[in-house]
Amino acid sequence: MSPARRSRRSASDSAGRKRQRRPRVLVVDDAEGIRTYLENLLGRRGYEIHTAEDGESALEALDTGPELDLVLLDIMMPGMDGIETLRRIRELAPALPVVIVSVIGRAPTIVEAMQLGASDFVSKPFEADELEEILERLLGRDDEAVGEAGGHDSVRRALWSSRAMSEIREVIEQISDTNVTVLIQGESGVGKEIVARAIHEMSTRADGPFVKVNCAALPEDLLESELFGYEKGAFTGAHARKFGKFEVASGGTIFLDEIGEMSPGLQAKLLQVLQDSQFARLGGNREVTVDVRVVCATHRPLLEMVSQNDFREDLYFRLNVVNVQIPPLRERREEISLFVETFISRYSAEYRKPAPVVSDRLMAAFSRYSFPGNVRELENMVKRIVVLEGEESILNELARREAGERGRRSRFHELLAEVEETAGQIPLREVGRRAALEVEREAIDAMLHQTGWNRKKAAKLLGVSYKTLLQKIRECELEAEG
């Protein structure tokens, strides 16, 4: 890269040009299908997309093509892999944001990439909204610049349409002029992040940054450096100082999602930040002072974890100043029709498909279904209806699930009837064992459905080993659908 070209990348010049054009994103992936998908997805959302099929082509595009604002870089590529490509990009353009795209489970590779200066990472398979959120944060785009991406406002309106959620909104309004820490609890997929964003947007910190950190997505050593940053030379590959998410969020709000997954060591450091608003970067001795509001969320029962010594009691009480308990979708059924309408509008536009008309039969099935995956599960169902241009597969799935639920209820009632008929001849221990099995079957089936039968992920969410879950699946006679 020529010195003249490199000098053009000054922050002030870049900021001026970004205001006059769409942000340019280079997608680097050896899979043509991924490149095409991202080109279409991000193109519709207001980005100018360039593509490269390998590391060499990416470096050539960086040197001879138009000025880029961000690189989406796949790790697993033949020839020059993503790590080496990242190392070369950092030599050519140290300030250029690079987002790593990695297969789930390659934690050591992600750690290495972040140490080399990657700005963030997203795991395959990823949700479009997850990727968009990262790009918006790194490129500093506001909602108006997102263009067609902005189905978020309508989703938020749908979320607040029920009485239960309106009451939560009233609580948020009451604390809007304070900096109290908020703990959001509820099942997976109920809308905890939307509530966290509302807390920020309705607060006196609304003009400051909103920074999200998923505590379950990062290994402990990487999560610590992401939260608190590090100094040059803190470890091999730390070639420059890196600011942590707490510093990035100063003046605004940091949202710690899945706080229940945080390790005891990091819990202690987080407690210090909450008490003193100070911490030290990895490899540093100087105390850094920040002005950050902390909002946390979890689907796990933190109070129960405290009693089992799996979560610090002092940290729990520091986090639980204001507790927001979000009810599951099955207790907010008046939202379902508005969510269906919203998701149809969003995904018919995104996939350029005709907007389907949902039948009364399907809406009736939705109204009976328990939605263990909550709003996220409903969204995925509607997305399938739009993509497949029909609702039969969803109707069949709901019918199977309804039959399964009836069968489980029937087995439980049969047990109660048997206990009554035998006048106590069945030992209480056996009654408890069989009743517990039915409850376990219900919980495991719901979690497997929620994770798309990803048994490793389900085991983690249920708090059991993978081997234990496989044994329980056999005992409960559960089988994947389809």
Side-chain angles (χ1 to χ4, degrees):
M1 179 182 292
S2 66
R5 178 173 175 77
R6 196 171 301 161
S7 67
R8 286 172 32 211
R9 297 186 182 276
S10 67
S12 59
D13 289 349
S14 177
R17 281 189 294 275
K18 286 179 188 177
R19 285 192 290 268
Q20 300 170 20
R21 61 167 171 77
R22 297 191 300 165
R24 294 193 185 111
V25 175
L26 175 65
V27 176
V28 187
D29 199 300
D30 61 308
E32 183 179 0
I34 295 292
R35 296 197 304 271
T36 301
Y37 168 73
L38 289 173
E39 186 172 12
N40 292 334
L41 172 69
L42 299 178
R44 289 195 299 270
R45 300 193 174 202
Y47 297 91
E48 180 182 319
I49 304 301
H50 300 260
T51 62
E53 62 184 14
D54 53 37
E56 290 83 356
S57 301
L59 297 175
E60 183 180 353
L62 190 64
D63 193 34
T64 63
E67 182 187 358
L68 299 170
D69 299 308
L70 183 140
V71 176
L72 267 177
L73 177 62
D74 186 30
I75 284 288
M76 302 294 290
M77 296 188 296
M80 183 188 297
D81 66 8
I83 292 294
E84 180 57 30
T85 304
L86 173 61
R87 187 177 285 112
R88 298 280 294 277
I89 290 175
R90 279 287 154 263
E91 294 172 358
L92 295 171
L96 179 64
V98 179
V99 176
I100 294 298
V101 182
S102 171
V103 176
I104 290 175
R106 298 190 60 84
T109 306
I110 296 171
V111 172
E112 184 180 3
M114 299 301 282
Q115 291 174 350
L116 285 172
S119 305
D120 212 324
F121 79 95
V122 62
S123 296
K124 292 181 180 178
F126 53 81
E127 292 288 336
D129 288 350
E130 177 188 8
L131 177 59
E132 182 194 344
E133 177 189 314
I134 291 173
L135 298 190
E136 285 179 27
R137 175 168 51 78
L138 293 176
L139 295 175
R141 306 183 76 196
D142 56 28
D143 287 341
E144 292 180 4
V146 178
E148 293 181 31
H152 301 292
D153 287 342
S154 55
V155 172
R156 294 178 189 183
R157 284 194 295 272
L159 183 76
W160 301 115
S161 63
S162 67
R163 180 172 180 176
M165 295 306 296
S166 295
E167 291 175 355
I168 288 176
R169 191 176 183 87
E170 289 176 5
V171 172
I172 295 173
E173 290 172 351
Q174 290 172 3
I175 63 173
S176 61
D177 59 348
T178 73
N179 287 322
V180 294
T181 305
V182 182
L183 176 61
I184 306 170
Q185 293 184 275
E187 297 177 7
S188 295
V190 292
K192 295 190 288 294
E193 183 176 343
I194 293 180
V195 171
R197 288 185 180 276
I199 291 170
H200 171 72
E201 291 165 1
M202 295 170 67
S203 74
T204 55
R205 295 173 171 265
D207 292 335
F210 177 89
V211 177
K212 174 189 173 183
V213 180
N214 188 333
C215 300
L218 300 170
E220 180 180 352
D221 53 350
L222 181 54
L223 179 59
E224 184 174 6
S225 66
E226 277 296 287
L227 288 174
F228 306 111
Y230 53 76
E231 296 288 354
K232 180 179 180 180
F235 45 77
T236 303
H239 301 301
R241 173 185 290 171
K242 175 183 171 66
F243 295 112
K245 302 294 189 187
F246 268 96
E247 288 177 88
V248 173
S250 192
T253 303
I254 188 167
F255 173 45
L256 303 178
D257 197 11
E258 297 301 346
I259 188 70
E261 308 301 326
M262 185 175 282
S263 68
L266 282 183
Q267 289 178 33
K269 196 162 185 177
L270 175 59
L271 182 63
Q272 177 195 348
V273 179
L274 291 172
Q275 290 173 337
D276 307 326
S277 298
Q278 289 185 328
F279 61 88
R281 301 187 193 99
L282 289 177
N285 297 316
R286 186 175 68 86
E287 291 292 323
V288 178
T289 301
V290 290
D291 172 25
V292 178
R293 183 187 197 171
V294 178
V295 176
C296 300
T298 181
H299 73 282
R300 301 185 67 182
L302 283 193
L303 196 55
E304 184 179 318
M305 293 175 66
V306 169
S307 66
Q308 297 172 354
N309 294 321
D310 291 329
F311 198 84
R312 292 181 64 115
E313 183 178 29
D314 47 5
L315 177 58
Y316 172 76
F317 288 115
R318 278 280 180 176
L319 298 177
N320 196 37
V321 178
V322 173
N323 187 291
V324 175
Q325 189 77 39
I326 305 178
L329 183 59
R330 57 187 170 274
E331 296 177 14
R332 300 150 35 199
R333 293 190 181 275
E334 60 266 46
E335 298 176 17
I336 291 176
S337 60
L338 193 51
F339 272 126
V340 170
E341 179 183 328
T342 296
F343 293 138
I344 284 177
S345 177
R346 174 194 286 190
Y347 291 113
S348 59
E350 180 173 323
Y351 296 114
R352 301 186 186 279
K353 297 275 191 178
V357 177
V358 177
S359 69
D360 292 341
R361 181 184 169 203
L362 180 57
M363 289 306 300
F366 279 156
S367 69
R368 295 190 302 269
Y369 184 52
S370 61
F371 283 106
N374 293 291
V375 179
R376 188 177 299 124
E377 182 180 8
L378 175 61
E379 179 179 5
N380 288 333
M381 285 183 175
V382 174
K383 187 188 298 186
R384 282 168 55 192
I385 291 169
V386 172
V387 172
L388 299 177
E389 300 185 32
E391 59 183 40
E392 282 304 313
S393 65
I394 299 298
L395 280 168
N396 292 336
E397 179 181 327
L398 291 174
R400 288 195 302 270
R401 297 207 139 263
E402 200 170 338
E405 288 179 3
R406 284 198 302 268
R408 285 190 290 273
R409 286 195 297 268
S410 175
R411 285 193 296 270
F412 195 76
H413 290 145
E414 286 173 4
L415 173 61
L416 295 178
E418 187 178 350
V419 170
E420 187 175 344
E421 289 171 4
T422 57
Q425 292 181 16
I426 302 177
L428 184 59
R429 179 177 297 179
E430 175 63 14
V431 174
R433 186 194 69 80
R434 289 167 60 179
L437 184 63
E438 291 303 321
V439 174
E440 281 188 349
R441 181 183 286 113
E442 187 83 23
I444 293 170
D445 185 50
M447 191 59 68
L448 288 169
H449 178 61
Q450 181 181 319
T451 59
W453 267 78
N454 184 327
R455 285 166 288 192
K456 288 187 177 179
K457 186 175 181 180
K460 183 177 181 180
L461 291 172
L462 289 166
V464 298
S465 69
Y466 181 64
K467 183 177 179 180
T468 298
L469 179 61
L470 293 182
Q471 180 181 340
K472 292 290 184 182
I473 290 173
R474 288 192 295 270
E475 289 177 3
C476 296
E477 299 178 353
L478 293 171
E479 294 182 2
E481 296 173 356

